[in-house]
Amino acid sequence: MMPAVCVLHGIRLFSLEMSGFSIRNPERRIESNPFDVDAWNLLLREHQSRPIDQEREFYESLVTQFPNSGRYWRAYIEHELRSKNFVEVEALFQRCLANVLNIDLWKCYIVYVSETKGTIEKYRETMAKTFDFALEKIGMDVLAFSIYQDYIAFLKKVPAIGQYAENQRITAVRRVYQKALATPMHNLDTIWADYCAFEKNINMTLAEKLIAERGKDYQNSRRVEKDLQAMTRGLNRQAVSVPPKGTASESKQVELWKKYIAWEKTNPLGTEEYGQLARRVVYTYEQALLSLGYYPDIWYEAAMFLQEASQTLDEKGDVKLAQALKVECIGLYERAITGLMKESKLLYFAYADFQEEQKKFDAVKEIYNRLLTIEQINPTLTYVQLMRFIRRTEGPNNARLVFKRAREDKRTGYQVFVAAAHMEYNCMKDADVAIRVFKLGLKKYENEPEFGLAYADFLSNMNEDNNTRVVFERILTSSKLPADKQIRIWDRFLDFESCVGDLASILKVEKRRKIAYEEAQKDLGMNHSMLVIDRYKFMDLMPCSGDQLRLIGYDALKGNDTPSTSTSSNPKPVPTRGPQAASAIMGGAGGHADVARYGFPRPDISQMIPFKPRVNCTASFHPVPGGVYPPPPAAAHLMSLLPPPTCFIGPFVNVEALCSVLSQTQLPSLQYDKSENGMIGPMNEADVKKDLYQLLATTSDPSAVVRSSALADLKRKRGDSDEEDEYSHLQSSTIGSIGSRDAYKRRMNKKNE
């Protein structure tokens, strides 16, 4: 026993070491994955106990890696506060406070001001400005209750000498109360009770009127707050922005945030002031970006909403707020391209278009130049967009200068030549210059089949048939183009000849194309039928049906992931009801390739989806809607009563013994009598006959069906006298062979005797 115990102990120690490897070595984990949040948290716990003078480098790397994480900024600031480094703390607040609208970070800022500014002369004015600034930025947050409560408590403690000062204080407190009651947030009932008590202590007569007026706002906010809880259920607001991996949990968070934003756009508060609605939607976008900072679509949608809101407010006459939203939109774009999305070309281009709408052309050039200076990004698309912008604003001559700059950049791809040629032809109406651009590009990108195809398409559209053939021949005879890349060129060449050439030229190209295919795909088992299809097809119209193409092997030849579509303009609809529905859905319905190949219909396994019952089923995680279902109520109740799976430690089932028992078990036979209305058990006799006849008609080997036990089972269940007439077309010898070889029927006959 001792050696076994030692071995088990060694295995356990080894597993513990392997499991603790990631815990004891977070630095290595960060080196391999800089966005390993768990590893950063382990380092953060370790560094928080050390002096701040030794840990600033770590904190700087932390907030540089996660610049929009309020939790990490707060940890950095609180570590500085423990050492009373107020200058460094204020510098950190200036860096992060305006852009990171995290409620906990802002609460930390308010506490810092209240504890460190108590000795200055204008402490009360400073605190009031701090609270007002905080409410302006994050006063719409659902967790802003403590900020309102602290502000009200602070105002109530402000000494007031004289009736005027007392009225000013009452007005200030009432203003904060009213703003809080109009904001959907948690613990709103507490603020309402305090407000009622506050008004009653001042003036009982006036209190009834004010309470009745503000009661509507309170009830509306309370209703919206309940809807807000349901809408935000499942949101992880403390998540740190990391590049998406495409997991189900990430997709679920994105879905919940987008639903939350769409809900805010519906104006659930019912406010008539569009500026307030726009502020709430923008704040929701800001909260989403704290967790989804690496999703360019969220940044873009937020910027688009700011632009639309600015235009709407400008039309309504609120020019000041409209201008403020434009400035905020610029700030949003700048935060994106200088922060997490500094390599997102989409946001650069959208930002450039926004500045172009504002007639700030110099700013647009600067945006494009900033993107071109990033070495690791392919600049081809940037040059194309810059060339189009310069052509729109400065004319074609300056656009040609951009094209010259692009040619000198070694990182540029062939697409910029195509864009320049089309610009010369479509905008400047100069076909000769466009052809010269293509010829210039062909010298440099002769090994790129896409460029050759673009050149050939351009000449073909200009009805330059001879020049098009010359281009095809030049590309296909080039030694720089590998054989595997010539396939697409040959396909396009054949398509071109089929449109404009005669039969002799078509056959000539087709013969050369077949040789190229055989050289490029030697292991595919080529045949002439595969290639001749391209001669007769047009767009999505094929000379064969989709099933025939699969049988020939055309889809495998072309590398298509999906089978060819229907070739008929009026495809036969698939029945959704009746006895033929199941057969059609599962691949039957007659005339299909599966029937011709296997002798019987087969289901389309690629379309099958698993059935996943879940106890808490709020939304579908399956790629197909409806793939996840809640279990039946009775089963769900039973599952809630059962202990969790982790509690089960045995006994375990012997699978081999269970299979042996099941194989020796005889199932009871079920007898269905034919009813007067033509029903055989749950089945209609006419439907059974129809399905059987269709199965026999579409099966290449009817004896395979006859030999199956299904026919014998069906005859036994019918029990009527006309079965010989119904199946007289079947050979009696075959039916007799069934009786002699079907062991189940022999046993049933003995029982009946």
Side-chain angles (χ1 to χ4, degrees), residues 341 343-350 371 377-382:
M341 306 304 297
E343 297 182 3
S344 175
K345 290 182 283 187
L346 170 65
L347 295 179
Y348 277 94
F349 298 155
L371 182 57
I377 296 181
N378 188 334
T380 307
L381 183 58
T382 306

Side-chain angles (χ1 to χ4, degrees), residues 674 685 689 718-728:
K674 181 179 178 182
E685 180 186 5
K689 292 180 181 179
R718 285 170 50 99
D720 51 348
S721 59
D722 58 347
E723 61 182 16
E724 293 294 334
D725 297 332
E726 295 289 345
Y727 302 100
S728 59

Side-chain angles (χ1 to χ4, degrees), residues 420-480:
H422 282 284
M423 182 182 67
E424 294 288 347
Y425 180 72
N426 296 322
C427 301
M428 286 68 141
K429 312 301 180 183
D430 196 337
D432 295 335
V433 176
I435 293 176
R436 287 202 298 269
V437 171
F438 270 117
K439 290 182 179 179
L440 182 64
L442 192 60
K443 296 178 181 179
K444 186 176 181 181
Y445 302 104
E446 197 171 1
N447 60 338
E448 292 289 346
E450 295 294 338
F451 181 77
L453 292 176
Y455 188 12
D457 288 341
F458 176 78
L459 293 175
S460 177
N461 292 333
M462 293 179 59
N463 295 326
E464 296 285 345
D465 298 343
N466 294 330
N467 291 335
T468 305
R469 291 188 179 93
V470 171
V471 172
F472 275 123
E473 293 291 345
R474 178 178 176 180
I475 298 173
L476 292 172
T477 57
S478 174
S479 59
K480 297 181 180 180

Side-chain angles (χ1 to χ4, degrees), residues 483-597:
D484 57 339
K485 291 186 177 181
Q486 293 182 2
I487 300 300
R488 295 191 60 193
I489 306 294
W490 280 111
D491 291 342
R492 191 66 62 85
F493 195 7
L494 178 62
D495 184 61
F496 168 75
E497 288 292 350
S498 299
C499 293
V500 302
D502 54 14
L503 183 59
S505 61
I506 295 173
L507 295 176
K508 182 180 179 181
V509 172
E510 188 178 26
K511 182 177 179 180
R512 296 171 60 192
R513 172 173 170 263
K514 181 182 178 182
I515 297 174
Y517 262 95
E518 291 175 349
E519 293 178 355
Q521 304 183 17
K522 297 180 180 179
D523 57 340
L524 193 59
M526 301 292 301
N527 62 69
H528 188 69
S529 299
M530 293 181 184
L531 300 178
V532 77
I533 293 173
D534 289 336
R535 189 201 306 178
Y536 304 113
K537 74 174 184 178
F538 179 73
M539 298 179 67
D540 60 340
L541 301 177
M542 295 289 182
C544 301
S545 65
D547 296 328
Q548 292 171 344
L549 292 176
R550 284 193 295 270
L551 290 174
I552 295 173
Y554 180 82
D555 294 312
L557 172 68
K558 294 299 181 181
N560 296 340
D561 295 332
T562 58
S564 301
T565 57
S566 175
T567 61
S568 174
S569 58
N570 296 316
K572 183 179 179 180
V574 177
T576 57
R577 294 185 180 182
Q580 299 299 323
S583 178
I585 294 173
M586 300 302 288
H592 283 255
D594 290 334
V595 176
R597 181 180 299 180

Side-chain angles (χ1 to χ4, degrees), residues 97-158:
L97 203 60
N99 296 330
V100 184
L101 300 183
N102 180 271
I103 188 72
D104 295 329
L105 180 63
W106 279 84
K107 290 178 182 178
C108 178
Y109 170 65
I110 295 173
V111 172
Y112 161 75
V113 174
S114 63
E115 292 181 353
T116 59
K117 306 298 182 181
T119 58
I120 64 176
E121 181 179 357
K122 297 183 179 180
Y123 167 72
R124 296 187 182 91
E125 290 80 355
T126 302
M127 281 302 302
K129 291 180 180 179
T130 301
F131 276 115
D132 289 334
F133 181 50
L135 292 181
E136 180 185 357
K137 290 291 185 180
I138 59 170
M140 292 172 288
D141 199 284
V142 72
L143 301 175
F145 164 76
S146 61
I147 298 179
Y148 282 101
Q149 192 177 42
D150 293 343
Y151 193 10
I152 292 170
F154 166 76
L155 291 176
K156 288 181 178 179
K157 293 179 181 178
V158 173

Side-chain angles (χ1 to χ4, degrees), residues 145 180-181 183-193 218 221-222:
F145 164 76
L181 293 174
T183 304
M185 60 183 174
H186 300 332
N187 299 323
L188 197 61
D189 296 338
T190 303
I191 294 182
W192 172 250
Y218 161 68
S221 300
R222 184 182 179 186

